[in-house]
Amino acid sequence: MFFKSLSVFQHLKIRQGEARQYAHLGLLYGTKKDWQQSEKMYLKSLEILQSIGNQATNPQRGVAEQYDNLGNLYALRGDWQRAETMFLKSIAIFQEIADDESMAKQYVSLGNLYYVQRDWQRTEAMYLKSIEIDKFLENTEGLVEKYQNLSALYAEQDRWEQAEKIFLTQMKLTLSDEDPKSQLNQATLLGTFYIKHQKIQRAETLLRQGL
């Protein structure tokens, strides 16, 4: 299907549509773990978008998205340095076009990249940058996700006091007044948090306190 669409766009000389189909093919090959073909498709898409410039609709956004695709691809391959380079290029473009929401997502991608390398300091810095942006945007859904990432990071480092604080902040944003869980006390909520992180003794103590 993508190849048929690609052929049509090429025949009609609709370059932006052609670039979009190459990106779709890159994703398709990526799901098959055919990294070489996936990279080739993303690079074709990137090359087209860079060549047509202002002839395209939101050309910079398209370029940034292909950098993001390549960053994710390289991360899956374990090529950390190239992944970092792509994510940073994507962030720079989103910053230039003032797309704060996309920039926040890219900081998370970069944070996740540092996380798998166990570079806790840079992971925390990226997550905090993302949270700062979502606070400015008043993006509650985004904040819930990013607080979850941050609490998991602190738990991984045994920084339990900070992990608890962020988890409770996350839960306040998550639970509505109508949600039955909103009636649970703090000790019980923290008990569920420690169960998730397989700290059973600590969880049991807190759950007993919550009775």
Side-chain angles (χ1 to χ4, degrees):
M1 183 64 71
F2 291 139
F3 281 109
K4 286 184 178 180
S5 298
L6 177 62
S7 179
V8 171
F9 283 122
Q10 288 174 331
H11 177 72
L12 296 174
K13 297 183 179 180
I14 302 176
R15 298 286 279 161
Q16 190 167 10
E18 185 182 348
R20 187 163 55 248
Q21 295 311 307
Y22 276 125
H24 289 324
L25 285 167
L27 179 61
L28 177 63
Y29 286 124
T31 60
K32 296 179 178 180
K33 296 186 179 180
D34 187 342
W35 308 131
Q36 187 174 359
Q37 279 295 101
S38 181
E39 180 183 24
K40 183 179 178 180
M41 295 301 104
Y42 287 145
L43 288 173
K44 278 182 174 290
S45 180
L46 180 61
E47 181 184 3
I48 291 170
L49 289 167
Q50 289 175 324
S51 68
I52 59 180
N54 293 329
Q55 299 174 39
T57 304
N58 296 323
Q60 290 174 294
R61 180 185 302 279
V63 170
E65 288 171 351
Q66 297 321 306
Y67 282 138
D68 176 51
N69 286 334
L70 285 165
N72 287 317
L73 170 64
Y74 294 142
L76 286 170
R77 285 167 44 178
D79 191 342
W80 311 131
Q81 187 171 352
R82 292 176 79 184
E84 179 185 33
T85 298
M86 294 300 106
F87 287 141
L88 288 172
K89 285 185 176 183
S90 184
I91 287 172
I93 293 174
F94 284 130
Q95 187 171 24
E96 183 180 344
I97 64 177
D99 185 344
D100 291 336
E101 186 174 356
S102 295
M103 189 162 54
K105 291 177 182 177
Q106 289 304 111
Y107 278 128
V108 171
S109 295
L110 199 52
N112 291 342
L113 180 69
Y114 295 140
Y115 186 96
V116 297
Q117 298 175 76
R118 304 184 72 81
D119 186 340
W120 306 137
Q121 186 174 357
R122 289 202 291 177
T123 301
E124 181 180 17
M126 294 303 103
Y127 287 166
L128 289 174
K129 279 179 178 286
S130 185
I131 287 170
E132 183 181 353
I133 293 171
D134 275 346
K135 282 182 177 178
F136 174 76
L137 295 175
E138 298 182 349
N139 181 4
T140 301
E141 185 177 347
L143 281 170
V144 168
E145 176 190 345
K146 294 167 183 68
Y147 280 135
Q148 187 174 3
N149 290 338
L150 190 59
S151 67
L153 170 65
Y154 290 147
E156 182 67 25
Q157 300 175 78
D158 290 328
R159 295 164 63 181
W160 294 108
E161 184 177 346
Q162 289 164 289
E164 286 184 10
K165 181 180 178 181
I166 297 300
F167 171 74
L168 290 173
T169 301
Q170 172 201 336
M171 293 305 293
K172 286 178 183 177
L173 292 175
T174 304
L175 300 178
S176 66
D177 293 336
E178 293 77 24
D179 193 317
K181 289 183 180 178
S182 66
Q183 305 304 315
L184 298 176
N185 59 40
Q186 180 171 304
T188 301
L189 286 173
L190 286 172
T192 64
F193 171 74
Y194 280 104
I195 288 174
K196 180 180 177 182
H197 290 284
Q198 299 181 350
K199 297 290 183 179
I200 305 305
Q201 186 174 354
R202 175 62 172 156
E204 183 179 2
T205 300
L206 285 162
L207 290 171
R208 287 183 183 277
Q209 290 177 12
L211 293 177

